[in-house]
Structures are given as C-alpha cells and as structure tokens.
Amino acid sequence: MEEKQTAFQIALEDNVATALTPLKPGPVTLLGDAVVPVVQASAEVPLGHKIALRDIRAGEDILKYGVVIGRATADVPAGSWVHLHVMGSVYDQRSSHLDVNTGAPKDTQYE
C-alpha cells in the first residue's frame, strides 16, 4: 500500500506548502491552513522542501509563514518543486550561488 502524500500550508496567503513526505507526481493532501484540501504534484519534491500551490510567475514573491521568503526567478507551475533552481532568497543574496542538490557554494574555488 502506497503511503499518503502530505504537505503543510502554514498560512492561508502562502503560495507554497512544505512536503511532510517525499512527493511524487499525484495527489497531495494539504494540512494546516489549506485553501484547498488537495493539490496535484507535477514533479518529485523532497521531504521538507516546498511545493507550489498555484502557478507563480517569474518575479513574483514566494510566500511562506504569511511573509515573503523569496522571489521566483522563473515561472513555477502549480505542483512543482520550489527551491534554489527557481527562486532566490530576499534575505540572503548568497543563496543564488548554492548548488541545488548539495547546498555547496558554486561561487567559491577550493584548492
């Protein structure tokens, strides 16, 4: 039996939710202050990462906790993974220089 996929929407105005289980394409049950009960994941989203609850246009704010945590650097379709490859932090300019999978700095040479 396949485990139920879940994500948590912290505030009603958020346009992302946090994956409580690793997500694969398919239905995801939203918990918390969810506007809708289910969103369709269109891509894999790692545990603890963000899933877009609706289409987010390039340049649009990413909202989590009811506050702006970043800005979309590309169009983000609903149900997709929201991470460093499609957003930049509004708090830490360096986040745009980190490897998406490892978090290692890409702008530093180690000799």
Side-chain angles (χ1 to χ4, degrees), residues 9-82:
Q9 183 176 350
I10 297 168
L12 287 172
E13 58 271 24
D14 292 351
N15 55 12
V16 297
T18 304
L20 298 176
T21 60
L23 305 179
K24 295 183 178 183
V28 177
T29 300
L30 291 177
L31 306 173
D33 278 346
V35 175
V36 296
V38 175
V39 64
Q40 291 292 320
S42 60
E44 291 189 6
V45 177
L47 170 69
H49 286 243
K50 295 172 290 301
I51 183 173
L53 297 177
R54 61 170 178 76
D55 291 341
I56 302 169
R57 296 168 59 125
E60 189 176 344
D61 291 337
I62 306 291
L63 293 163
K64 184 176 176 182
Y65 312 104
V67 298
V68 177
I69 62 162
R71 193 153 295 116
T73 56
D75 288 341
V76 182
S80 61
W81 182 32
V82 179

